[in-house]
Amino acid sequence: MPSPTREDGAAGSGQAEEGAAPAESRGGDGRGLVCALEMELTNRSLSSKMDCVSCDELINRNCADSPEVSVPLSALGKRVTHMEGDDLCRLIDRKFLIEDKKRLCALALGTALVGILLMIIHAEICPYVYEPGSKVSLVINCSISLSTGCLLILIIAFHYKDIRLFIIDHKEVDWRIAITSHRVLVITLELLVCVIHPVGSYWEVNFYANSSSAAPLCISSHHDKALLDMELLLSMLMFLRLYLVHRAILLHSKVLLSASYRSIGSLNNINFTFRFVLKVLMNKHPARTLLVFILLFWLTASWMLTLCERRSESLTTGQMDTALWLIAITFLTVGYGDVAPKTSCGKGVCLFTGVMGVACTAMLVAIVTEKLALNKGEKHVHFFMMDIQISKRIRHAAANVLRECWLLHRASPAKGSRDEHRRHQRCLLEAIRVFRHLRLKQRKLRDYVSEMVDLPKMQMIMCDLSANWNNSYRELEQRILFMEQKLDELTRCFQQTSELLFEVLRHRNPEIR
């Protein structure tokens, strides 16, 4: 009886023996693998997933009383080796880990959005609802802190699943190999970003209202100015949690889930990162993707601007409608100058909005240019019809030149007035100019068409030429071989003829030797 190779395989020994008894009674080797997989799924749902060595142990225990070890059968009835069983268990574990990563990423993104939403609710209703000594602010801040704690737990669980997936992909290597400096830095940065949330309202809440402020903020009675700045900074930095959006898009994209994409991409050394997925989205749905991004950025930047401008004494920039207008004209790089941010925070938001507006405008121009551009077939049809039209106009211009020449010949100064002669000369020069202009236009069009090299068509032409050259070469070789055979026959005929002549001459004249 083979001994277990891992310590955690001993935990499921009792369950393995229970599953092995029916397999022995039925005498079937193919039940071993099925029982092992069922035990693996059961143990995974209860405590933890069994590794591939434990799977092999369960397969071997099915024949503990038999003198030889049985080999399980696959679904097609073929013998499955231990290496194939390991690969099967590893693939099952990998599938479960990928599903767990997708689930954890979705939960983390939802938790982050809930925290941001609670922060926005707290900032918006604080000046109008809270009263001195109210516990509503404490409840909302406790909810934000609770969502932050849940988010940190989900982030740690996600990276734990990622490390386990790395271990499975590299065939059960030591987990310390997966803990690289880059991974540790990424995990640390993510935890630092996710732990940021406003904490200034845990103390006694007082109502602070400025008569000149559009929407005053709630601040504490302890260190009000410093706490206001800290609350503002932490509230704005909570939007950094939206980095989880790109991870959710990557893990839930059809590109990553498609086996054909992964197989062809692995053959071409393509890494399925968020950049590749974003390129695919911009190629398939460019207008929809860009529109969603612009709308979300517009609303987020507008609210951040209102949050910044509430500290100032301006009556306009702290309103949401004015902030929407200011962000829009800044994003479009128009800048009418009717409204402007007053605080340093608001100026920073407008500066970042302008940079993003330039980038989105460049992408929008590229998308519109691509949509308006003609494809290869449309270009060929368009240029072909233009060439036909220009050829017709050239024929008409040539006919006009001949007609004007004939009219000029008829209206010679000797036969008519000089005015009519000069008029026909001008008409002839104009017809020649039009004819030359059309010829130049046709030459430019054909030069432009000749520059449009159709690579597949050129490749087919070169393949046809290569095939024709090969056929000609074979025919030439055959002809050369045929000529060599004929020359050999002629040589033998000459030799036989010379021998016959020599025999005849020798017979007639015996003295010839």
Side-chain angles (χ1 to χ4, degrees), residues 378-443:
E378 293 172 347
K379 285 181 180 180
H380 283 299
V381 172
H382 175 65
F383 290 138
F384 180 75
M385 296 304 299
M386 286 185 64
D387 187 40
I388 292 177
Q389 294 176 3
I390 292 176
S391 299
K392 289 182 181 179
R393 293 175 62 184
I394 287 175
R395 288 195 294 269
H396 289 302
N400 290 332
V401 170
L402 294 177
R403 185 189 64 182
E404 294 299 333
C405 287
W406 172 249
L407 293 176
L408 181 63
H409 176 71
R410 289 181 58 185
S412 59
K415 297 181 180 180
S417 62
R418 294 183 176 275
D419 294 336
E420 186 178 0
H421 182 73
R422 284 192 295 268
R423 183 172 61 82
H424 285 297
Q425 281 183 345
R426 286 193 294 268
C427 292
L428 177 61
L429 293 177
E430 180 64 19
I432 293 173
R433 187 192 65 80
V434 172
F435 177 75
R436 290 177 177 176
H437 175 71
L438 292 175
R439 287 292 300 273
L440 180 62
K441 189 175 181 180
Q442 186 184 34
R443 190 179 300 113

Side-chain angles (χ1 to χ4, degrees), residues 192-333:
L192 289 176
V193 168
C194 294
V195 81
I196 296 174
H197 67 285
V199 294
S201 297
Y202 282 113
W203 313 104
E204 181 182 358
V205 179
N206 290 327
F207 180 75
Y208 175 80
N210 189 358
S211 59
S212 61
S213 178
L217 290 170
C218 289
I219 62 173
S220 173
S221 60
H222 303 282
H223 308 288
D224 50 359
K225 185 64 171 61
L227 183 59
L228 178 61
D229 295 336
M230 185 183 70
E231 286 276 333
L232 179 64
L233 180 62
L234 294 178
S235 299
M236 294 183 63
L237 290 180
M238 277 192 70
F239 285 98
L240 294 177
R241 298 182 181 185
L242 295 178
Y243 80 94
L244 294 169
V245 174
H246 88 278
R247 181 179 292 169
I249 293 174
L250 177 61
L251 292 177
H252 291 80
S253 64
K254 296 181 180 180
V255 175
L256 190 64
L257 299 178
S258 176
S260 58
Y261 260 104
R262 292 199 305 269
S263 58
I264 297 176
S266 61
L267 293 176
N268 292 277
N269 295 325
I270 294 177
N271 295 324
F272 289 94
T273 58
F274 177 71
R275 183 182 301 176
F276 177 75
V277 175
L278 182 61
K279 289 179 181 179
V280 172
L281 288 176
M282 291 297 293
N283 191 14
K284 293 176 63 177
H285 310 289
R288 189 184 309 172
T289 305
L290 193 60
L291 180 62
V292 170
F293 174 76
I294 290 175
L295 288 177
L296 293 178
F297 180 80
W298 181 39
L299 296 175
T300 304
S302 300
W303 187 84
M304 292 173 65
L305 182 61
T306 57
L307 187 65
C308 293
E309 292 298 314
R310 286 173 185 176
R311 297 176 53 189
S312 65
E313 297 181 356
S314 176
L315 296 174
T316 56
T317 54
Q319 299 290 339
M320 188 63 184
D321 54 351
T322 308
L324 289 172
W325 167 251
L326 179 58
I327 291 297
I329 62 177
T330 307
F331 187 85
L332 298 175
T333 64

Side-chain angles (χ1 to χ4, degrees), residues 365-378:
V365 170
I367 291 172
V368 173
T369 303
E370 183 182 2
K371 293 298 181 182
L372 295 179
L374 298 175
N375 56 23
K376 189 183 297 182
E378 293 172 347

Side-chain angles (χ1 to χ4, degrees), residues 37 40-41 87-96:
L37 295 180
E40 179 184 2
L41 296 177
D87 294 337
L88 181 60
C89 293
R90 191 158 48 245
L91 288 175
I92 293 174
D93 287 344
R94 191 178 190 278
K95 180 180 179 181
F96 286 142

